[in-house]
């Protein structure tokens, strides 16, 4: 059993609102307007790389994206997420949101938005 537990990561807690994030590149082709900047931190990744949990933040502006399967909870900030051929989502602190793989989205970030997420690839 000791060998097995040595391979599993320890349980942990992170204060999402205070976590230090690192710059993440944003493809200039995704920027519709403004000068949004993205930062983030991967907290855990499965050995096969298909499950990722972390924290992500974006400053105000408008960007487009093609989504992965994702569940996230907004910690701070506000945005409008338009899903092509679907709903327009108004999200803010405390909101849980599910995006489907392949969803084409336009994010209008009104206030710097920070979220905790789980992505399935």
């Amino acid at each position: 059993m000791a060998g097995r537990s040595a391979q599993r990561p320890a349980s942990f807690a992170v204060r999402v609102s205070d976590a230090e994030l690192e710059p993440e590149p944003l493809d200039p082709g995704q920027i519709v307007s403004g000068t949004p900047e993205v930062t983030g931190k991967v907290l855990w990744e499965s050995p096969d790389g298909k499950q990722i949990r972390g924290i992500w933040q974006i400053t105000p502006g408008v960007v487009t994206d093609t989504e992965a399967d994702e569940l996230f909870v907004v910690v701070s900030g506000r945005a409008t997420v338009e899903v092509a051929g679907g709903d327009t989502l108004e999200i803010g602190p405390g909101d849980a949101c599910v995006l489907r793989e392949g969803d084409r989205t336009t994010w209008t970030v009104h206030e710097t938005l920070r979220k905790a997420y789980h992505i399935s690839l």
Side-chain angles (χ1 to χ4, degrees):
M1 284 290 205
R4 176 187 277 180
S5 65
Q7 295 174 0
R8 288 184 43 178
S11 297
F12 64 92
V14 174
R15 183 170 300 281
V16 176
S17 59
D18 297 337
E20 285 194 36
L21 308 181
E22 306 206 357
E24 292 187 1
L26 182 61
D27 178 348
Q30 291 180 265
I31 300 172
V32 176
S33 68
T35 54
E37 295 182 13
V38 173
T39 53
K41 179 175 186 142
V42 172
L43 300 174
W44 176 87
E45 185 172 338
S46 63
D48 65 4
K50 293 188 176 188
Q51 305 289 319
I52 303 169
R53 297 174 186 155
I55 302 167
W56 184 85
Q57 180 172 286
I58 186 168
T59 61
V62 181
V63 298
T64 60
D65 200 9
T66 300
E67 304 296 339
D69 277 328
E70 180 179 5
L71 164 67
F72 66 84
V73 176
V74 177
V75 176
S76 59
R78 297 197 176 280
T80 302
V81 181
E82 296 175 58
V83 180
D87 292 332
T88 296
L89 313 171
E90 298 292 340
I91 57 174
D95 289 338
C97 184
V98 174
L99 298 172
R100 296 173 303 166
E101 181 178 4
D103 278 350
R104 297 177 64 80
T105 56
T106 300
W107 291 66
T108 301
V109 181
H110 310 292
E111 299 169 15
T112 297
L113 184 123
R114 183 176 283 219
K115 66 181 183 177
Y117 66 85
H118 176 97
I119 293 174
S120 299
L121 301 172

